[in-house]
Amino acid sequence: MRAAPAIRNAMTIDVEDYFQVSAFAPHIAREAWPSLECRVEANIDRILGILDAGQAKATFFTLGWIAERYPAMVKRIVAGGHELASHGYGHLRASDQDRAQFMQDISSSKAILEDIGGQAVQGYRAPSFSIGPANLWALDALHEAGYRYSSSIYPIQHDHYGMPDAPRFAFYPNGKDGLLEVPITTVRLMQRNLPAGGGGYFRLLPYALSRRMMRRVNREDGQAAIFYFHPWEIDPQQPRPEGIGLKTRFRHYVNLSRMDQRIQALTRDFAWDRMDRIFLGQP
């Protein structure tokens, strides 16, 4: 009997630089961004090398602000066979914008990315997973702006984001004629959803535990895992702003030096592909 083919999981990268992290907003003014050392391009090139060596394809949710400054980097992402998707323009949380501001943000970033990348941008991820019960109108706005899917609702309880009652797997919030929402992977344990798809949790937990949780989603739920990380997470030498609180420092810097090897391990332990191919059925 032939073995069943491995489930293709979605590898996703939120393309932003270290100084654009939402938790740093009280300490780093937006007006200072252009004068700060940018490290995103070198980090993206390292990531592209890791994915190429592991024969993995991914979706890059990219800020319009970054794309404008590094168009050659964006073109290298596309040339590598990866999907280009939107992370908004300037890393503004969706929950901090009204509908008109949000429409401007998602429309401008989509146009910038499509102009540089030369391919349709169909996916969006809100900074800090900032779509939840109070601003579900944002999903209608995304559909109106021409997006086909979002990965912006995280079905966990968290102090900065989360919608724990949302479905754990891909769903249509407003029917199949609307936008598809694809949540980050969780596992269900003791009537709670536990994060299992990347971010700080992946750096904090032992790799074997994260691997076990994603394999459980593949085997027991029969679903693709959605994994995400940021370019700054493979960069332990990044500048460290002053005045950052202990909790934020721990969340941001824990185990950065291990991340490169862990991403390489993921490419060996799982099959990875783009969000559009897995969830939109595109060739």
Side-chain angles (χ1 to χ4, degrees):
M1 179 181 295
R2 296 179 61 184
I7 288 180
R8 292 176 302 140
N9 301 287
M11 175 70 73
T12 68
I13 298 94
D14 292 356
V15 183
E16 62 195 58
D17 221 326
Y18 66 95
F19 53 79
Q20 296 171 314
V21 173
S22 294
F24 287 176
H27 309 280
I28 303 176
R30 287 180 174 271
E31 295 76 18
W33 285 5
S35 65
L36 297 175
E37 176 191 359
C38 275
R39 301 173 66 87
V40 66
E41 187 172 28
N43 291 331
I44 286 293
D45 284 344
R46 287 174 60 196
I47 292 168
L48 289 173
I50 292 170
L51 296 177
D52 185 58
Q55 298 182 320
K57 299 302 179 187
T59 293
F60 288 74
F61 291 98
T62 306
L63 290 178
W65 191 95
I66 292 289
E68 284 182 327
R69 287 157 177 78
Y70 299 99
M73 179 194 76
V74 172
K75 291 177 181 178
R76 290 196 294 275
I77 290 171
V78 173
H82 304 289
E83 180 190 9
L84 189 62
S86 172
H87 199 33
Y89 179 80
H91 211 260
L92 282 172
R93 293 170 61 96
S95 53
D96 290 340
Q97 303 176 72
D98 61 28
R99 187 179 180 115
Q101 293 168 330
F102 184 69
M103 279 295 293
Q104 172 61 29
D105 182 87
I106 60 177
S107 298
S108 64
S109 62
K110 190 175 192 294
I112 290 166
L113 293 168
E114 289 180 339
D115 183 56
I116 296 171
Q119 63 176 220
V121 169
Q122 303 180 95
Y124 170 82
R125 176 172 289 155
S128 302
F129 303 106
S130 50
I131 295 179
N135 65 336
L136 290 176
W137 53 260
L139 300 176
D140 290 325
L142 286 165
H143 190 240
E144 182 180 334
Y147 291 91
R148 293 188 60 191
Y149 76 87
S150 162
S151 183
S152 303
I153 295 175
Y154 204 164
I156 63 169
Q157 188 72 47
H158 190 278
D159 55 348
H160 292 308
Y161 54 76
M163 188 174 170
D165 294 333
R168 291 175 53 222
F169 303 113
F171 66 104
Y172 289 92
N174 299 312
K176 289 196 174 182
D177 291 334
L179 193 80
L180 177 68
E181 176 62 34
V182 187
I184 299 296
T185 289
T186 58
V187 294
R188 188 75 175 168
L189 185 65
M190 297 179 65
Q191 298 185 327
R192 291 189 62 185
N193 295 338
L194 303 180
Y201 300 104
F202 180 72
R203 288 184 279 114
L204 176 63
L205 299 173
Y207 175 78
L209 178 57
S210 293
R211 179 179 60 194
R212 180 178 177 181
M213 289 192 291
M214 285 188 282
R215 283 180 173 170
R216 172 177 166 177
V217 169
N218 286 170
R219 292 173 178 171
E220 297 186 16
D221 297 306
Q223 297 283 340
I226 317 302
F227 182 86
Y228 82 101
F229 71 104
H230 307 84
W232 54 262
E233 289 187 276
I234 65 165
D235 185 10
Q237 281 76 45
Q238 65 189 264
R240 300 198 174 201
E242 296 181 357
I244 306 299
L246 181 62
K247 183 177 181 180
T248 297
R249 284 204 311 272
F250 177 77
R251 284 179 169 177
H252 188 90
Y253 298 115
V254 64
N255 289 334
L256 293 183
S257 61
R258 300 181 182 179
M259 193 66 171
D260 191 305
Q261 292 184 339
R262 289 188 175 191
I263 299 300
Q264 292 182 51
L266 283 177
T267 66
R268 295 190 297 267
D269 291 337
F270 296 90
W272 298 100
D273 207 345
R274 302 158 41 139
M275 293 276 278
D276 59 349
R277 285 206 282 248
I278 295 173
F279 293 102
L280 302 182
Q282 297 187 340

